[in-house]
Amino acid sequence: MKFISWNIDSINAAVEHKSVRGEMTWSTLNEIATIRPDVFAIQETKLKSTGLTKKQATAIAELFPEYHLYVNSSTARSGYSGTMVLSKVEPTQVEYPTIGAPGSMDLEGRIITLEFPTFFLSTVYTPNSGSSLIRLPERGEWDDKYREYIKTLDATKPVIFSGDMNVAHQEIDLKNPKPNRHSAGFTDQEREKFSALLDAGFTDTFRSLNPDTPSVYTWWAQISKTSKINNSGWRIDYYLVSDRIAENVTESCVIDTGARQDHAPILLEINV
């Protein structure tokens, strides 16, 4: 099976594609549509609390005909965060879980989980620790709650889960590790929490297949005009799987988005 995951940074910007960046986002979305993944998971949809508008729903339906669509929008703050999943096959069950996260995190539409006969498929948009690490304590609580949630799924059947996890795990996972030791996404706490997630029985599929491959990133800061040109990026988007099905992974890679900065989609192929 083939899976794709992407932090799109606004469904509306893609559908409207009125700016240069919007055009690039729309182009990438069309490219993904031609790949026809079995499941396409999207983070940071930035939809209204009521979900897709008619125009947005029509555009998605035209690109992904006959897919089953599931949306989890933020009710804490409209137009913020949010996740969406498109699946060729209708799942046996869909969950929009709350995990006991602090503050408004459980109301921000951050997780969708689809259950299939032999596995769970879940996507997540992990909260950012924020400027000056103001949200780092709450982020740590989220990581603990999320890890426990994924473990409960894994206790029933294997899990394939993806998303913008807002952490570069190892120094190899970002261009400039030393000056970013105290930056959101590369603090000791966030990295340790990600290690704890892996130690709970899960495999980072890209790093498993490419243990020593440097300079492969999934996010380049928009604030820097040269971040993509210089490949000054971070690998903060992941496909993780239960350890017991990790040997079934045949591909885990990043989809090239050309000059577009911000997040790139990631692709997983696995026999399940």
Side-chain angles (χ1 to χ4, degrees), residues 21 36-37 44 47 51 53 62 64 74 97-98 101 113 119 129 143 161 180 198 225 228 246 261-262:
R21 186 169 178 280
R36 299 284 293 170
E44 201 168 7
L47 297 177
T53 65
E62 289 176 350
F64 298 93
S74 171
T98 56
T113 300
F119 65 95
S129 294
D143 286 334
F161 58 113
N180 283 296
L198 298 181
K225 293 182 179 180
K228 196 69 178 286
Q261 293 171 250
D262 205 62

Side-chain angles (χ1 to χ4, degrees), residues 50-156:
T50 51
L52 292 163
T53 65
K54 184 176 180 180
K55 182 176 181 180
Q56 292 163 354
T58 298
I60 296 298
E62 289 176 350
L63 281 178
F64 298 93
E66 299 178 5
Y67 275 73
H68 301 274
L69 173 67
Y70 306 97
V71 174
N72 193 4
S73 298
S74 171
T75 57
R77 178 174 148 198
S78 190
Y80 175 73
S81 185
T83 49
M84 185 168 87
V85 178
L86 292 141
S87 177
K88 280 184 179 177
V89 176
E90 186 175 9
T92 57
Q93 187 171 323
V94 180
E95 183 180 27
Y96 307 92
T98 56
I99 59 174
S104 64
M105 291 177 178
D106 270 339
L107 304 175
E108 294 169 357
R110 293 185 174 275
I111 307 173
I112 302 177
T113 300
L114 277 57
E115 182 176 359
F116 296 98
T118 59
F119 65 95
F120 287 104
L121 187 290
S122 190
T123 196
V124 63
Y125 179 34
T126 302
N128 190 293
S129 294
S131 60
S132 303
L133 303 178
I134 192 170
R135 215 178 185 188
L136 184 62
E138 290 80 7
R139 162 64 187 271
E141 290 183 55
W142 166 278
D143 286 334
D144 291 339
K145 296 290 187 178
Y146 180 71
R147 182 175 65 253
E148 291 306 311
Y149 169 69
I150 291 295
K151 285 170 62 178
T152 63
L153 297 179
D154 185 56
T156 301

Side-chain angles (χ1 to χ4, degrees), residues 6 48 81 101 123 142 192 226 253:
W6 186 26
K48 294 180 179 180
S81 185
T123 196
W142 166 278
E192 288 166 2
T226 61
C253 63

Side-chain angles (χ1 to χ4, degrees), residues 185-200:
F186 198 61
T187 63
D188 289 346
Q189 173 186 295
E190 291 162 316
R191 296 170 66 194
E192 288 166 2
K193 295 292 187 183
F194 193 82
S195 292
L197 179 60
L198 298 181
D199 291 344

